Amino acid sequence: MSTASEAIELPARYRRLPRVHPALRRPLAVTGAAILAIWVLVAIFAPLIAPYGPDVLGNSLSAAPSSAHIFGTDQLGRDVFSRVLYGARISLPISALLVLMSLTIGSTVGSLAGYFGGVVDGVIMRIVDLVFAFPAIILALVVTAVLGPSLQNAVLALVVVSWPTYARVVRGLVMSASQREYVQASRLLGASARQTLLRDILPNVIGPVVVLATLDFGNAILLLSGLSFLGLGAQPPTAEWGAMVSYGTQYFQDWWMSTFPGLAIFSSVLALNFLGDSLRDALDPHGSWTTRGGRR
Amino acid sequence: MALSIGIVVVSFVLTHMVPGNPALANLGQNPTPSEIRVFDQRNGLDKPLPVQLGLYFVHLLQGNLGTSQQTGDPVAHDLSMAIPATAELAITSIVIALIFGVGFGLVAALRRDGVTDFVLRILSLVGVSVPTFWLALIALYLLFFKLGIFPGGSRLSPTDTAPPHVTGMYTVDALLAGRWSTFWDALHHLLMPAMILAAANMGLLTRYTRSAVLEVMEHDYIRAAKAKGLSRRTVVFGHILRAALPSIVTVIGLAFANVMTGAVLVENIFSWPGIGQYGYQSSTTLDLPAIAGVSLFIAVVYVVVNFVVDVLYGVLDPRVRVE
């Protein structure tokens, strides 16, 4: 029995979405948030969840995954599962700190450039162009090589390379927001630059910057673990994911030593990208799941 | 131009304002003071920084990038050996990323909001999320160690010899010399690292292509093209993809930066004697002229790539051409 509604086949985008719980319409956002929440909980409660300490040397060396050690053990008998759990306490907060630092520096510099324009803008944007001319990892390689390999220096190096992204985005947003009539009005009424920036312009900027930061968070984890993998970040015996993958490469046949820490990096970055991508959808419906910008 | 000079200054200053001591990094455990003095003199490290910078510029104009403290060869020579290896890898990887990324993006846009679209969205996010070094290790373990489908690193099998040097890219040189077996061997070694490097860019290109294609598809002339009965193939490739190409091309600069980042990691894992490995090795030994040379080279290529992209954009989109 055919009904009238079947006769007209609308293109997919005009079709009404099936009536489901709002959360399920954004399966990626939900999945991303769930995975991320699990990692945050793991980072907080690692000592309670982990069956062993991160640096406890056990008796079974290089043991394949078993019921006693579900992710196996490494060459020194350390439990890989416990080390992966403890690794969340390093990669996640430090990458978050890295993003926060780049965001603060970049947004401040970018809003100054966008608001004042002229010479300030010219100088700042030339510096930004300069940093952009170096692929992130090369500059980071130079900085860590010069300052010496440590997690602290790796973070510093990555701040140096990642603030310009924020500066560029914020500058553009501030520039277009400054043109709005209400901002002009507020300035005419005698509001100071500081007031205008914080009260009138900031609300326009914050959405896109949050999206950028979420996506950049994933990038930060990738770059930081990449530097640690190269031996330029966290040093052994720190239970950092990138350093653990690097350690595993020495015992290539024992696949579990590098596979599981790598999976931890992958899952947390994927979760952040799921989340950032969905946030972008929500804030910029025109672009759908698409982007213009971003840099690795 | 100003940017290029800035790049030189930055790469120089960065590598020379070092708290670390290159003499100590290169002379082993306990060098005598006279050994250090000779080392510093030979490498010009005893002069004040501005003088060193001035000399660096003069030498640069003569095509002299200094001498690598690690290999003992001129940096320009070391670079000329490493560049073709990286170029071969980077170009192959970008071509792979373009084919799959543009293809996936086009399909995703044409099947907007469908299951295919959703799957491709996840695939592109996986591509940008997977750590390159980890993907490389997994691929090595499975495809080399377990299955033996691909070789486990380096540019050629030990039984093969490098083809006569023309471009330095083994696949091209082997073809020029008519050595088919060497060509296949080089290609066989090239494919796995190139595909791993392509993962992130494939994800990126999928997203950009999808968005560019969707934007084009909203235009009336596409509807007109469909309405006048043109075949689907003509509309998709002749009208939609053609109009979307300029926006897709702008991503290539970004893709290049991704490839260089990935190359440092992948070249180290696959013992690929390119720029990434050279840069990494010189940074761990504080080989200042070499690091300056590598960062200078990459920055210059980056500027050139972006220039080429601008030109290509003009070719593809007549509206932006400046009279």
Side-chain angles (χ1 to χ4, degrees), chain A residues 83 86-87 89-91 94-95 144 148-156 158 221 223-247 250, chain B residues 280:
Chain A
R83 284 177 69 75
Y86 273 95
R89 301 191 125 192
I90 297 174
S91 297
I94 291 186
S95 305
T144 42
S150 74
L151 193 55
Q152 213 182 335
N153 290 342
V155 171
L156 199 67
L158 291 177
I221 296 177
L223 282 171
L224 203 60
S225 59
L227 284 182
S228 293
F229 174 81
L230 288 173
L232 298 170
Q235 299 296 309
T238 317
E240 196 271 350
W241 292 335
M244 289 167 70
V245 175
S246 169
Y247 176 88
Q250 298 167 40
Chain B
Y280 169 68

Side-chain angles (χ1 to χ4, degrees), chain A residues 132 230 273 277 280 289 293, chain B residues 129 207-208 210 258 280 302:
Chain A
F132 264 109
L230 288 173
N273 279 333
D277 206 49
R280 185 164 40 199
W289 62 271
Chain B
S129 304
R207 319 172 60 83
Y208 271 81
R210 182 184 182 274
N258 281 342
Y280 169 68
Y302 195 52

Side-chain angles (χ1 to χ4, degrees), chain A residues 107-127:
Chain A
S107 312
T108 312
V109 170
S111 52
L112 292 179
Y115 189 76
F116 291 107
V119 183
V120 181
D121 185 36
V123 170
I124 289 174
M125 291 324 284
R126 287 297 80 71
I127 298 175

